[in-house]
Amino acid sequence: MSKRHERKSAAKVVRKQLAAERRRKRTMWVSIAAVAVLVIAGLIGWGVYQSQRSDAGPLVVPASATTTTGETIGNGPVQIQIYEDFICPFCKQFEQNAGPAINDLVSQGKVKVTYNTVAFLDPASTTEYSTRSAAAAGCAADGGKFKEFHDALYAQQPAEGSAGLSDSQMISIGTGLGLDQNSFSECVNSGRYKPWVASVTDAASRAGVTGTPTVKVNNQVIPNPTADSVVAAVNAA
């Protein structure tokens, strides 16, 4: 092999090596850029999430509730969990059918009932009525009128797809039940319990609840719940 040919072969090898090095660097910088984009997107998302949490206000809990459950009434040995949404027409039907029987079970000391007022149907109103009404019910609980307010909201249930009752209308309902005008209206207008409603709704989803009404007796779901099926489940518990 001539020296000239050797030099050409060596140059060709060098060019290949340089080209490979350029490709390696180009790939490295593309990867770094992609990682940077993901990091920036993550930081932006985290910032938005934190901002939304901040805007929502602190998570405070109304009377007879926890951060993940609604108001509890009664102190009997059998636990009834009701997952409901104030704009859900089937929840109203369940309340009309089974409400009196459940009230009797409470008065007889047989059950404790937790009303988990969730916001699954916020998209079914133009004003997030599910959240607003559940938060207002929390305000009513602070004044010792949760069940009365609960029943009144079902009695005046708005149609799905509507704006729902306004805050002032719910305040009027509450004060008509004997709640203090100043404290109740301040609680409703400030949206004090909206973060709590979100927390209860998230907890319901994590518990496998996908629709309302859902009724559990000692943590067992009652299919197609009615007054008769709930009473039967309580008596069997």
Side-chain angles (χ1 to χ4, degrees):
M1 180 183 295
S2 68
K3 290 184 177 180
R4 182 179 179 185
H5 184 73
E6 289 177 352
R7 287 196 295 271
K8 286 184 177 180
S9 297
K12 186 176 182 181
V13 169
V14 170
R15 286 196 298 273
K16 286 183 177 180
Q17 289 175 338
L18 290 174
E21 180 65 16
R22 285 195 296 270
R23 287 195 298 271
R24 187 186 69 80
K25 287 183 177 180
R26 189 161 53 245
T27 301
M28 179 184 70
W29 283 113
V30 168
S31 298
I32 291 173
V35 170
V37 168
L38 290 174
V39 170
I40 292 171
L43 290 173
I44 291 173
W46 176 253
V48 171
Y49 172 70
Q50 288 294 89
S51 174
Q52 289 174 338
R53 283 175 58 90
S54 176
D55 291 344
L59 176 56
V60 290
V61 177
S64 303
T66 74
T67 57
T68 57
T69 63
E71 290 80 7
T72 297
I73 296 174
N75 55 7
V78 179
Q79 172 75 61
I80 299 177
Q81 291 269 356
I82 300 174
Y83 296 87
E84 58 183 355
D85 191 311
F86 282 122
I87 204 170
C88 163
F90 297 109
C91 296
K92 179 178 180 178
Q93 292 176 16
F94 171 76
E95 178 60 31
Q96 290 173 331
N97 174 261
I102 292 174
N103 292 341
D104 287 343
L105 292 170
V106 171
S107 64
Q108 293 167 19
K110 292 184 176 182
V111 300
K112 58 180 177 181
V113 186
T114 299
Y115 293 88
N116 298 295
T117 49
V118 298
F120 288 167
L121 296 178
D122 264 347
S125 76
T126 58
T127 63
E128 296 187 338
Y129 177 71
S130 296
T131 290
R132 291 192 302 107
S133 55
C139 297
D142 285 346
K145 297 285 186 180
F146 166 75
K147 192 57 168 61
E148 293 90 338
F149 188 75
H150 167 279
D151 295 349
L153 287 185
Y154 278 126
Q156 301 183 48
Q157 185 183 68
E160 285 186 297
S162 71
L165 300 174
S166 66
D167 287 353
S168 61
Q169 287 174 310
M170 290 191 290
I171 290 169
S172 178
I173 290 171
T175 54
L177 295 170
L179 290 166
D180 179 75
Q181 169 76 34
N182 293 330
S183 60
F184 182 64
S185 60
E186 188 279 328
C187 181
V188 173
N189 287 327
S190 68
R192 179 184 302 164
Y193 292 127
K194 287 183 177 180
W196 165 74
V197 174
S199 179
V200 173
T201 302
D202 288 344
S205 295
R206 291 195 301 271
V209 177
T210 58
T212 54
T214 293
V215 180
K216 298 180 181 181
V217 174
N218 282 355
N219 211 36
Q220 298 298 310
V221 175
I222 307 301
N224 302 314
T226 63
D228 290 342
S229 61
V230 171
V231 171
V234 168
N235 290 335

